[in-house]
Amino acid sequence: WYNLVEIKMSKEKIYIFDTTLRDGAQTQGVNFSLNEKEKIAKSLDNLGVDYIEGGWPGANPTDTEFFNKDQNFKNANLTAFGMTKKSEHSAKNDPMLSSLINSKSSSVCLFGKSWDFHVDVALGISNVQNLENISESAKHIVNSGKEFMFDAEHFFDGYKSNPEYAISCLKAAYDNGARWIVLCDTNGGTLPHEISKIVEEVTKYIPGKNLGIHAHNDTENAVANSLVAVQAGVRQVQGTINGLGERCGNANLMSLIPTFFLKKDFSEKYEINIKPENIKNL
């Protein structure tokens, strides 16, 4: 009996982050109404996921209204999505950051560039300016009292191109109070053996308990990439119901959740917040 207790106590938690209502809503032909968003969110909360990313308040009327209402979740943290501040604004005067802070979310997830190529071509700013935008945004959200997480967009491509700069983007958020640093395979082109190697390198700079994985499915490896990322150290897994998402979709939580629960390589080492009786409700 004592051995069983010892095994149970030593399990590490995997946090499940659902982005069906945000990234899943970018699927061609998918357009959630406010009522539909609320129904899905309630089902996800009842299931027992840790985070529900409800959308981008201020980006459209539906998302804004969703975040203006108290969703009264029992299990999940409501998460608002947005981007790091723009260079022409201070963090305090950035209207988008203000809409996230003023929303009825308990957490905020900001995406920012971690690939120097995109900093130059897409943003048209210097590498140093991008780091300042990340760090100042992090400070501002953390000072508001909300839990802050940073989605490092195109991280794996950025790491392959310029590992030192990609890591510095992560550190800009982590060193300024981010609870979670999420490594994004935004193009969905990274393979499992690459994910393992790169995540292991990242854990030398940022603890695994603060790392997440956000995988897209363009090479049909989103689930595999999420699983090997956990084995390499990450403790938050992002995905969507049935793998909804732009292009070829996101990591499928309908595959990942039962794998964490049923496969011994995961169930003996990790635990998830979803109760055993809820697995059948997937």
Side-chain angles (χ1 to χ4, degrees), residues 109-272:
C109 183
L110 297 183
F111 77 91
K113 303 296 185 188
S114 57
W115 187 1
D116 56 355
F117 169 70
H118 277 189
V119 174
D120 180 31
V121 174
L123 296 182
I125 60 176
S126 72
N127 285 353
V128 171
Q129 283 177 303
N130 183 55
L131 293 175
E132 289 172 355
N133 289 344
I134 295 170
S135 59
E136 292 304 309
S137 298
K139 288 177 194 173
H140 188 49
I141 300 294
V142 170
N143 287 340
S144 78
K146 292 185 188 279
E147 182 185 36
F148 174 61
M149 54 191 91
F150 176 64
D151 267 6
E153 189 184 32
H154 293 280
F155 173 74
F156 292 96
D157 295 306
Y159 185 91
K160 292 178 208 177
S161 167
N162 185 341
E164 186 179 338
Y165 184 69
I167 293 289
S168 69
C169 293
L170 306 185
K171 293 282 285 177
Y174 179 70
D175 291 347
N176 287 291
R179 164 68 179 93
W180 292 106
I181 302 295
V182 183
L183 310 177
C184 301
D185 186 30
T186 312
N187 281 338
T190 311
L191 298 175
H193 68 283
E194 297 175 296
I195 296 279
S196 292
K197 183 178 178 182
I198 294 171
V199 170
E200 284 173 5
E201 287 298 314
V202 173
T203 60
K204 296 174 183 176
Y205 302 91
I206 294 169
K209 65 182 176 65
N210 299 105
L211 291 175
I213 182 74
H214 180 105
H216 282 258
N217 206 34
D218 298 66
T219 57
E220 201 66 28
N221 279 298
V223 166
N225 284 344
S226 301
L227 293 174
V228 297
V230 168
Q231 291 176 319
V234 311
R235 293 294 175 263
Q236 185 199 103
V237 175
Q238 299 198 354
T240 61
I241 302 303
N242 296 326
L244 284 178
E246 61 184 337
R247 302 186 321 276
C248 303
N250 287 39
N252 187 357
L253 290 180
M254 302 296 92
S255 305
L256 286 164
I257 291 168
T259 299
F260 293 137
F261 187 76
L262 296 167
K263 300 297 183 182
K264 284 188 177 181
D265 282 346
F266 293 95
S267 64
E268 290 181 350
K269 297 177 185 176
Y270 312 109
E271 60 185 358
I272 55 177

